[in-house]
Amino acid sequence: MKTRHLKLFNSYVPYQSENPRNLVTNKVISIMASAVYFCDSKGYPLLARRYRDDIPISAIEKFPTLLSDLEEETNLVPPCLSYNGMQYLFIQHNDVYLVAIANSMSANAAQIFAFLYKLVDVLGNYLKTVEEESIRDNFVIIYELLDETMDYGIPQITETKMLKQYITQKSFKLVKAAKKKRNAARPPEALTNSVSWRSADIKYKKNEAFLDIIESINMLMTQKGQILRSEIIGEVKVKSRLSGMPDLKLGINDKGIFSKHMDDDSLNNEGASVASSTTDKKKNNIELEDLKFHQCVRLSKFETEKIITFIPPDGDFELMNYRLSTSIKPLIWCDMNIQVHSQSRIEIHCRAKAQIKKKSTATNVQIIIPVPEDADTPEFKYSHGSIKYVPEKNVIIWKIRSFPGGKEYSMSAQMQLPSIGNIEEHKAKRPVQIKFQIPYFTTSGIQVKYLKINEPKLQYKSYPWVRYITQSGDDYTIRLT
């Protein structure tokens, strides 16, 4: 009897392909879901796929009642419900519920929820919008996807790139790529291969791999320069244009960011985020909050040697991301001074400084300064860049295309206030927002030591490219009050 292996959260789970009921491994039983249902906004089933016969067909009929009873009692409905020995685990997306039913308290809830969210992503790529109407119009496609993404309650292939090789959509009908050769049709190799995210027949004339390390800085500062909150959100993105089945080895000089003693509980992949261990704050003053890897990364290799080895998916994907809570100085700092005169006018003075190394240059800098809603007739003076008033957003935007490290620029603005009121009322309460990019630079000090590419069969020459970018995050602001 042939044995197939599936890669789940970086571990291999064996099962018998001819008779799945022969499963006896405790790890497998603990993650099984007996059925998956799509229900409308009231909890009534639209579509169902039963993977095991250990729950009654009528099990889903109790779900609408349980849902309505909880909604009457509280506004916060827990995502796990238990009734008559059955566990209902569900998520809500638009006007539908995705419900997984298990018959044991030992079911791995985190695994089931990860599968349900991934299923929504897969359906979104096929249906564009996952809602009740689109589900009713695409029963055939959804049934096929449910069959391929889960088998006997165990998650299988959930990579959209692989599913689209043999399941396509046309006029709400399922079309198989091997339709003309049904007698000789076989599933793609990725289904029987442990590398479920990549096909082996990929070919390129020029083999290249592009690696981008992007760090976004979120920071909240006071007008006097005090740092109230700061964090670094890092992403390592890869664009793979490599033939065959390449094996990549990435060495990172992390400046002590990643602990050398991480255990298996502090790392996760398949998009599951887990709080990780921290480094010695006295030495590095850096705390690693979250570390997340793509499923292709071999976690054991990283834990022991701090080397990232993986077989990449084809095209663009996020290899890893991390979040660091650390005290850093502002890279772009603005000294703000706002004066409101009794003669119904407001003056704004801003001195900006690039507090980065002289060899570095910030680009596309935008300093967004809020102004009162009734301000008008702006007059500007500035030493560099360009300034414009955006009345629909009640802001002044100062743009500096190139801002070398160590440089200082200044601007001043005067605007009329038609109505005379309390001076404090006219002072802007919204913060100043700063946007920027700094190429060839990382705040955390993370660097790529090497990126080795090896394809054992083709033995081609490859060309890796590495790029660093530091940029402002969604919350890089200066509080004015």
Side-chain angles (χ1 to χ4, degrees), residues 369-372 393-395 427-432 478-480:
I369 305 170
V371 297
K393 296 182 179 180
N394 300 310
V395 296
K427 286 188 176 181
K429 295 182 179 180
R430 293 174 295 155
V432 173
I478 300 174
R479 186 181 290 174
L480 296 178

Side-chain angles (χ1 to χ4, degrees), residues 344-443:
S344 67
R345 64 186 176 89
I346 183 172
E347 288 186 8
I348 300 172
H349 298 274
C350 176
R351 181 171 59 89
K353 182 177 181 180
Q355 299 186 143
I356 54 179
K357 295 180 180 180
K358 291 184 178 181
K359 64 180 181 180
S360 298
T361 300
T363 60
N364 301 319
V365 178
Q366 291 188 33
I367 301 172
I368 304 172
I369 305 170
V371 297
E373 294 182 0
D374 57 349
D376 61 12
T377 318
E379 296 180 7
F380 302 126
K381 293 181 181 180
Y382 50 93
S383 62
H384 201 80
S386 62
I387 298 179
K388 68 174 181 179
Y389 172 46
V390 186
E392 60 270 20
K393 296 182 179 180
N394 300 310
V395 296
I396 294 171
I397 301 179
W398 182 15
K399 293 183 179 181
I400 303 173
R401 182 174 296 180
S402 179
F403 204 158
K407 291 288 186 179
E408 287 189 20
Y409 300 126
S410 61
M411 62 80 67
S412 63
Q414 178 175 288
M415 304 185 74
Q416 303 299 318
L417 299 173
S419 59
I420 302 176
N422 189 305
I423 292 178
E424 294 300 323
E425 291 180 358
H426 285 297
K427 286 188 176 181
K429 295 182 179 180
R430 293 174 295 155
V432 173
Q433 185 177 6
I434 304 175
K435 298 181 179 180
F436 60 86
Q437 280 192 349
I438 307 174
Y440 318 112
F441 174 79
T442 58
T443 308

Side-chain angles (χ1 to χ4, degrees), residues 192-207:
T192 55
N193 190 355
S194 61
V195 185
S196 61
W197 52 87
R198 183 181 180 92
S199 174
D201 58 355
I202 299 172
K203 293 182 179 180
Y204 287 100
K205 291 183 178 180
K206 186 177 182 181
N207 293 281

Side-chain angles (χ1 to χ4, degrees), residues 165-215:
Q165 287 188 11
Y166 59 99
I167 298 179
T168 59
Q169 179 187 11
K170 184 177 181 181
S171 301
F172 306 108
K173 293 181 180 180
L174 181 68
V175 177
K176 290 191 176 181
K179 186 176 180 181
K180 296 182 180 180
K181 301 181 180 179
R182 291 185 179 179
N183 295 332
R186 283 192 251 173
E189 186 179 347
L191 287 181
T192 55
N193 190 355
S194 61
V195 185
S196 61
W197 52 87
R198 183 181 180 92
S199 174
D201 58 355
I202 299 172
K203 293 182 179 180
Y204 287 100
K205 291 183 178 180
K206 186 177 182 181
N207 293 281
E208 297 177 306
F210 301 88
L211 186 70
D212 286 342
I213 297 182
I214 303 171
E215 291 191 343

